[in-house]
Each structure stands twice: as structure tokens, then as C-alpha cells.
Amino acid sequence: MGSLHLDLKDCSNCPIRHRAVCSRCEPDELETLEEIKYYRTYEAGQPILWKGDHMEFVASVVTGIATLSQTMEDGRTQMVGLLLPSDFIGRPGRTEAPFDVTAVSDVTVCCFRRRPFEGLMTTTPHIGQRLLEMTLDELDSAREWMTVLGRKTAREKIASLLVIVARRDASLRKQSPKNGMIFDLPLTRESMADYLGLTLETVSRQISALKKEGIIELEGKRRVIVPDFETLLLETGDDVDGGFIS
């Protein structure tokens, strides 16, 4: 989930190819997409979209992580979602951005000009089918987050976020989460606190407790090692046979 080091002119080199909106496209369909795509990069903290912006493009997150947030009438900002690699920004038929989208880390997005992309939705069934699946997955994830934010303890919230990131990281590597897996946590502790509705002190205390009990190991500030994935799952408060949508 770090910075981009691959040559993406050829879609076959794309690190999200098997998960993105174009994952089921045939070679001729990819050639059509090539004609309307371009890449943009954003530094950590830089806005990608402001709520109400006219949507000139839709896009897939290729590397990095971004947040979806909404500013309330009293000026407070509520983080309402995360965009991880392969997640989609925008909706065909929607001309204005419904949320602020901000890069948390350095982000690269693969953009498609909105109007031509909307045209492809009717002529390229593979794109429409995959986008529908992604939208339904997003809905499931949103429902899960309602449980995370509303009913879980601080420890369960932290463990749940770690599991979500671990599963996505494994998926991008075409693997299943496993014991001893290593991934980079793309959020600062401040961002985790904002997203989970916790204080910075609580986040730091809970992460330290998970580390002290051997549930996770840390290398530096961001690298996480999970000695036993099932043990981490138990800390989420979820049914181990169910869990989060990845």
C-alpha cells in the first residue's frame, strides 16, 4: 500500500488488476478503457475531492489510502469511510462529489473520464457487473462499520480495523490471511482515532496492550506482524466464521 513503483502503462502490471472495476475485462475491453484513463497522484494530506465538486472522473485507488469525510453544520468533521487499494471513487450518473476525499498517505488513482465511462457501462457488461458487486460489498462494509462504531469496545474497534487492513493486504497479494503475516498500517494513530471515534491516548493504549499480550508485533510505527490471525480475529468480538467484508 505504499508508493507506486510499477509501470502502469500496461494494465497487466497493475497491482489491483484482479480486484478493480476492470478485473473481468477482456483484452479488447481493456484497450477501450486505456483510451479514457489517466493517473493522478496525491501527497498525504492533500484533498482529492471536496464535497460538491463537479465530478469530471471516476477512479480506482491503486496505491495508498484515502478517507471519506463529511463536515457538519458546527464545523466538526466526521470520517465516514476508508478507501483502500482497488476501492472505487465516484458513481456513474452522479455529477457531484457527496463527500470530501482526502489522501491519508501518498495516493495514486487510476482515473476514467466520467462521461465516456458511463457510456462503457452500457456497452461493456463486465464493467457494470463488477461495479455492482463492489457497490454491494461497500454496502455490507458500511453496515459492519455501524456495528464497529456503535457497539464495540475500544479494543474491539482497534482489532477490527487491523483485521480489515490485513485482509485487504492479503487479497491484493492473492493470498489468504495467515499466521505470521506482515502488513503496513497505512493510518497514523491520529487518523485511527478520528475514524474510530476514540481519543489518541485510547488508541495508543489499546495498541500497546495488544502488543504486550503478543496478539500483534510492531516494527517501527506502521509495520504490523500477526503471529496468530485467529487470535486477532477473536479480539474483534465477531463470530470467527463471519467477520468483515474484505
Side-chain angles (χ1 to χ4, degrees), residues 11-126:
C11 286
S12 63
N13 289 330
C14 182
I16 63 168
R17 174 73 175 87
H18 65 291
R19 282 191 58 97
V21 70
C22 55
S23 63
R24 295 182 180 173
C25 288
E26 300 294 338
D28 61 322
E29 295 169 336
L30 287 176
E31 289 179 7
T32 303
L33 278 175
E34 289 273 4
E35 297 174 0
I36 64 169
K37 84 171 186 181
Y38 55 96
Y39 294 96
R40 285 184 176 176
T41 58
Y42 300 87
E43 296 180 352
Q46 187 175 359
I48 297 173
L49 288 167
W50 293 113
K51 180 180 178 180
D53 279 355
H54 182 70
M55 294 287 295
E56 297 289 349
F57 64 89
V58 294
S60 294
V61 177
V62 180
T63 63
I65 187 170
T67 60
L68 298 172
S69 59
Q70 185 167 342
T71 302
M72 294 178 280
E73 290 184 1
D74 61 5
R76 289 179 297 165
T77 299
Q78 175 62 53
M79 204 180 299
V80 297
L82 291 177
L83 293 170
L84 302 172
S86 78
D87 283 340
F88 198 70
I89 301 173
R91 291 287 181 271
R94 180 177 288 171
T95 59
E96 291 187 356
F99 301 107
D100 297 336
V101 183
T102 306
V104 175
S105 63
D106 292 346
V107 171
T108 297
V109 294
C110 177
C111 304
F112 304 101
R113 288 184 283 121
R114 183 176 60 81
R115 287 190 178 278
F117 186 87
E118 289 172 352
L120 284 176
M121 293 284 292
T122 61
T123 61
T124 310
H126 287 138

Side-chain angles (χ1 to χ4, degrees), residues 164-177:
I164 287 172
V165 176
R167 282 179 164 160
R168 178 60 60 88
D169 188 83
S171 176
L172 290 170
R173 302 173 190 273
K174 299 184 180 181
Q175 298 174 352
S176 298

